[in-house]
Amino acid sequence: MNQKNSLAGIRHRLGQYGDNMHDRWLNTPGWQRWILYVALIIGALLLPSESIGGFMSPYTDWASILFFPIGTYVVLAIGLNVVVGQAGLLDLGFVAFYAVGGYAMALIGTKLGWNFWLILVVGIGICALSGITLGGPTLRLRGDYLAIVTLGFGEIIRITARNTDAIGGPNGIRGIPHPPSIDELNIFGVDVYELLGVKIFKYGVLDPRPYYYLLVALAVIVIILVKRWEKSRVGRAWAAIREDEDAAEVMGVPTFRFKMLAFAIGASIGGAMGVLWASKVISLNPNDFQFLLSATILAAVVMGGAGNLPGVMLGAFVVAWLPERFRGLQEYRMLIFGAVLVALMIFRPEGLLPSRQRKAELKEGTGGMGTLGAEVPGPESRGEEVASK
């Protein structure tokens, strides 16, 4: 009993600290927020520094893992958070859209020779249509049934790619073109071609940093769009669907339409990341798109705090970085990684940086994810149930 009380006390103190920080942020003037945003972008651009990499990744190339898995997981988690965290739809096949984007880049780039930027637009459109195609017949389902269907969709995409010789079969596709390099760029007379000695618009095989900077630009654009959707009528409709879809429909919310929109937006973000990833790795094959990747991204969303964008990004960073940080421990690194995840779920079951809404849902016993949490009681509701007995 004393151990349970101590754990509850730790959770309470952590939650109180998070609430205080949230209140302080809400009272922060807009100009101070913009200063912080710009500082965060500058910090992200400085991350590939070797001085930082010496601690963060002593066993592997820091710049390489910043692009994959860290940066890739962050962008994918943002896309999945639209579906899972905001709309409350359990998607276990999100890797399928990542695969569609990657194969769009590979096929169009090698067969038609199109420019990377044009393929990026086309790939986003194809993935949006894929999301609508999947959502049309399946979004009438809910909970576990929807999860099973999306899991099947992800496996269908991977197995189809493996068994179709026209798109490379099990060997995949090689010779994928890089984004076009820019030899010189001046803005208002200032040379912005190089950043800290790195030719940021020179895309090749050896240096991963230009791709990382391109990923940062993609992430910034995605974050701005997602936050705009979240604060709009669309975001309020998603929140209503997540909390109680039947009540939302009774109140006049066209639930099916907004669920389709969430699927299309999430698929577009996953596809955009797939296009960018494929343009760097030169070759891909169906084994790059296993179900484990979908499960890992979902774990990042839940662990970070589903529905809260900063929390989701932090969760993706932790999930991607920890195994690389302890790579020198060989087989023990996954044991340490699992222990950290278990500890986080014990002390922060609502996530590292949860939204207040999710914390309220967890307290009410919905598992912290609206109807997605089924009837799983949260830790506080379990404590109240024990006390009542």
Side-chain angles (χ1 to χ4, degrees):
M1 183 63 70
N2 291 333
Q3 185 178 2
K4 291 182 179 180
N5 292 335
S6 62
L7 290 177
I10 293 173
R11 292 194 197 103
H12 177 72
R13 286 192 293 272
L14 289 173
Q16 193 173 27
Y17 176 77
D19 290 340
N20 292 336
M21 293 298 294
H22 184 265
D23 292 336
R24 184 178 300 179
W25 176 251
L26 291 178
N27 296 326
T28 302
W31 64 271
Q32 292 183 9
R33 294 189 186 187
W34 279 106
I35 291 176
L36 180 59
Y37 294 150
V38 173
L40 289 174
I41 294 174
I42 293 174
L45 295 176
L46 297 177
L47 271 181
S49 171
E50 293 182 1
S51 58
I52 299 175
F55 169 76
M56 299 295 288
S57 180
Y59 306 105
T60 52
D61 181 58
W62 173 237
S64 295
I65 69 169
L66 268 178
F67 178 83
F68 184 90
I70 293 176
T72 302
Y73 281 18
V74 168
V75 175
L76 291 177
I78 293 172
L80 185 58
N81 182 59
V82 173
V83 181
V84 174
Q86 296 189 26
L89 306 171
L90 184 53
D91 185 355
L92 295 180
F94 192 71
V95 69
F97 306 118
Y98 180 55
V100 170
Y103 269 93
M105 177 68 208
L107 288 171
I108 299 176
T110 57
K111 303 293 185 183
L112 302 180
W114 287 12
N115 183 279
F116 165 80
W117 302 105
L118 182 57
I119 298 175
L120 179 62
V121 175
V122 172
I124 291 173
I126 292 174
C127 289
L129 290 176
S130 300
I132 294 172
T133 302
L134 172 63
T138 62
L139 284 178
R140 305 291 183 185
L141 303 174
R142 300 184 188 179
D144 298 340
Y145 302 102
L146 177 61
I148 292 170
V149 172
T150 54
L151 171 60
F153 177 75
E155 288 300 289
I156 287 170
I157 293 294
R158 183 180 64 84
I159 294 172
T160 301
R162 187 182 64 191
N163 295 335
T164 306
D165 293 333
I167 58 176
N171 296 323
I173 301 174
R174 300 178 181 178
I176 303 172
H178 297 298
S181 298
I182 300 175
D183 296 328
E184 184 178 356
L185 181 62
N186 292 312
I187 298 179
F188 300 113
V190 179
D191 185 10
V192 296
Y193 177 65
E194 291 193 13
L195 176 66
L196 299 177
V198 180
K199 297 179 179 179
I200 60 176
F201 299 108
K202 182 68 174 178
Y203 302 101
V205 178
L206 299 179
D207 193 354
R209 290 172 292 182
Y211 298 96
Y212 169 72
Y213 294 133
L214 186 57
L215 187 150
V216 170
L218 173 63
V220 169
I221 294 172
V222 168
I223 290 169
I224 292 173
L225 292 176
V226 168
K227 291 300 292 184
R228 296 291 294 176
W229 282 317
E230 182 182 348
K231 295 180 180 298
S232 68
R233 173 174 172 264
V234 175
R236 292 191 293 272
W238 285 339
I241 293 170
R242 183 184 71 243
E243 292 179 12
D244 193 327
E245 184 175 344
D246 293 328
E249 194 162 5
V250 169
M251 295 300 294
V253 177
T255 56
F256 183 76
R257 184 188 309 170
F258 281 110
K259 289 195 294 185
M260 287 278 286
L261 181 61
F263 251 61
I265 291 173
S268 300
I269 297 173
M273 188 62 245
V275 171
L276 177 55
W277 173 81
S279 71
K280 177 187 180 298
V281 298
I282 304 177
S283 65
L284 55 78
N285 64 75
N287 290 329
D288 294 322
F289 310 105
Q290 301 280 353
F291 163 71
L292 182 61
L293 181 57
S294 288
T296 303
I297 302 303
L298 180 61
V301 171
V302 175
M303 189 186 74
N308 186 32
L309 192 56
V312 166
M313 296 172 65
L314 178 60
F317 181 90
V318 171
V319 166
W321 171 68
L322 278 179
E324 299 297 333
R325 178 62 180 83
F326 297 106
R327 181 171 289 276
L329 299 178
Q330 298 178 3
E331 65 269 18
Y332 296 105
R333 68 190 182 102
M334 298 310 295
L335 178 63
I336 295 174
F337 176 61
V340 171
L341 294 184
V342 171
L344 287 173
M345 290 297 98
I346 291 174
F347 293 104
R348 296 288 288 175
E350 67 273 20
L352 290 171
L353 294 175
S355 64
R356 284 188 170 181
Q357 193 165 12
R358 188 182 178 214
K359 288 178 65 176
E361 292 171 354
L362 189 68
K363 185 176 180 180
E364 291 172 0
T366 59
M369 301 178 71
T371 56
L372 187 59
E375 299 300 329
V376 180
E380 297 185 24
S381 60
R382 283 199 299 266
E384 294 173 356
E385 182 180 349
V386 172
S388 63
K389 291 182 179 179

